[in-house]
Amino acid sequence: MIEFYMVFQLIPVKMDFKKTFNSLQKISPSLGALIAFNFISKPQKRKIRPFEKSILEIAKHSTINFNKFKIKSYQWGNGKKKALLVHGWGGRASNFGAIIPILIENGFQVISFDGPSHGESSKRKTSFFEMADLVKLYLQNNNYDLIMTHSMGSVLAFTAMNSLKYKAKKMIVLTTPSKFSEFIDLAILKFGLTKETTKLLINKLKKTSTEYNPISHKVKDVINNIEIKDITFIHDISDKVIPLKRSKLVSSYFSNSKFIEIEGTGHFKMLWSKKVIKIVESLINN
């Protein structure tokens, strides 16, 4: 099985991935589940953009030990107010590179990190809930005036906040799924998993946490202990990764939330959109 997996890794990208994978999982559903699990457990490293390089050059870099990982941590600015930025799955702290200067200009000390096996942190298998535990560690070490999250990082931040019975002053959510299983659905779609392979994948995912069930984990279930004075959701109506209705659903769980619909930025581009930057500046000034 190990040799077969190594051969699969050597298949050229130009080949029809789904067709090849479909043939493989018919031969061995367990191997198909293993490959999909490894894909999820080892986030793909994305190309770093010029504005990300620029923001990393002016950051104060440090490294912390966490669950056998060397976690890369960053700090920008020396303002009296503190902001924690939580990137999405497969992301990195520098994804917020276009937003960070605005926060600094408005008196924030900005803190962020590359999650386990993300960015410049050390690489090995990780899980969603391991990142939630890391967010929890950062929340315990500082009091933040602003928490900003993107994509799956939003779910993980809510999970960490709930376990701490956290009281937040202001939160800006740049898209969020409403439940963990939506990410699994993306993996199923990417690989074209059969029912048998999906079942085996789910069994593997269940073993990644003794505290949470990845399949039934929903945002609705992890906000009961959270108190947020001011929370705003921003979501692009053309987001092809997370549908608008998911963020709207999560927003509805908070009686005091504001929801801002934008257009023309998609899921990732919103992080460096001038439109979003202006909205963020307006929110932190209010």
Side-chain angles (χ1 to χ4, degrees):
M1 182 178 288
I2 294 175
E3 290 178 357
F4 196 12
Y5 173 57
M6 290 175 68
V7 170
F8 184 82
Q9 285 186 310
L10 295 175
I11 296 174
V13 176
K14 64 182 179 180
M15 291 184 68
D16 188 330
F17 179 82
K18 279 191 177 181
K19 185 177 180 180
T20 304
F21 187 84
N22 187 49
S23 299
L24 181 147
Q25 66 178 328
K26 285 180 179 177
I27 298 171
S28 175
S30 60
L31 179 57
L34 175 62
I35 293 171
F37 177 73
N38 284 338
F39 174 82
I40 292 174
S41 304
K42 295 179 180 179
Q44 304 299 299
K45 193 169 182 178
R46 297 179 181 276
K47 182 181 178 181
I48 188 165
R49 295 173 173 81
F51 73 86
E52 292 184 87
K53 290 182 180 179
S54 299
I55 204 66
L56 290 175
E57 288 173 359
I58 63 171
K60 292 181 181 178
H61 297 237
S62 59
T63 302
I64 64 172
N65 294 316
F66 171 78
N67 289 6
K68 298 182 179 180
F69 283 96
K70 297 290 184 182
I71 299 297
K72 195 74 172 182
S73 189
Y74 308 92
Q75 179 188 318
W76 294 268
N78 294 296
K80 292 183 179 180
K81 296 179 290 184
K82 290 186 178 180
L84 176 67
L85 311 184
V86 183
H87 66 76
W89 195 256
R92 53 191 300 152
S94 60
N95 289 166
F96 294 98
I99 295 174
I100 291 170
I102 295 298
L103 298 178
I104 297 171
E105 289 171 17
N106 284 274
F108 282 92
Q109 177 188 124
V110 182
I111 296 168
S112 192
F113 58 87
D114 293 340
S117 200
H118 288 71
E120 297 306 313
S121 292
S122 58
K123 304 294 186 289
R124 54 180 294 168
K125 282 186 182 179
T126 187
S127 71
F128 291 93
F129 299 111
E130 191 164 37
M131 185 160 163
D133 288 339
L134 178 60
V135 176
K136 183 177 177 180
L137 180 64
Y138 275 84
L139 292 174
Q140 288 173 318
N141 288 340
N142 274 301
N143 291 316
Y144 296 97
D145 299 276
L146 170 66
I147 298 172
M148 185 182 297
T149 62
H150 178 243
S151 192
M152 186 58 73
S154 304
V155 178
L156 303 178
F158 285 134
T159 302
M161 293 164 70
N162 194 66
S163 66
L164 294 172
K165 297 183 178 180
Y166 198 81
K167 294 182 179 181
K169 297 177 182 178
K170 185 185 290 286
M171 187 169 182
I172 299 175
V173 180
L174 304 175
T175 82
T176 179
S178 58
K179 54 187 177 181
F180 178 86
S181 62
E182 287 162 13
F183 186 87
I184 300 174
D185 292 340
L186 290 175
I188 293 171
L189 184 64
K190 176 182 176 63
F191 287 94
L193 301 185
T194 62
K195 288 184 178 180
E196 186 175 359
T197 305
T198 298
K199 184 179 179 180
L200 292 170
L201 171 63
I202 288 173
N203 288 337
K204 287 182 177 295
L205 289 169
K206 283 181 177 179
K207 295 176 182 178
T208 62
S209 175
T210 56
E211 186 177 357
Y212 302 103
N213 182 339
I215 310 309
S216 60
H217 192 68
K218 300 177 182 178
V219 174
K220 187 177 183 179
D221 299 328
V222 291
I223 61 169
N224 297 326
N225 297 320
I226 301 174
E227 186 179 314
I228 307 174
K229 280 188 176 182
D230 183 354
I231 180 168
T232 302
F233 292 78
I234 305 173
H235 200 115
D236 193 295
I237 62 174
S238 58
D239 189 327
K240 294 181 180 179
V241 178
I242 300 175
L244 179 74
K245 63 182 180 181
R246 302 303 183 193
S247 284
K248 277 195 170 182
L249 180 60
V250 177
S251 177
S252 72
Y253 300 150
F254 297 90
S255 59
N256 63 330
S257 73
K258 295 185 289 290
F259 196 94
I260 300 175
E261 292 184 21
I262 57 175
E263 189 174 0
T265 69
H267 187 75
F268 297 103
K269 193 177 177 181
M270 70 180 304
L271 289 167
W272 57 90
S273 162
K274 291 182 180 179
K275 188 184 303 182
V276 172
I277 293 169
K278 285 182 180 180
I279 293 172
V280 168
E281 186 170 23
S282 174
L283 290 172
I284 59 178
N285 282 329
N286 290 333

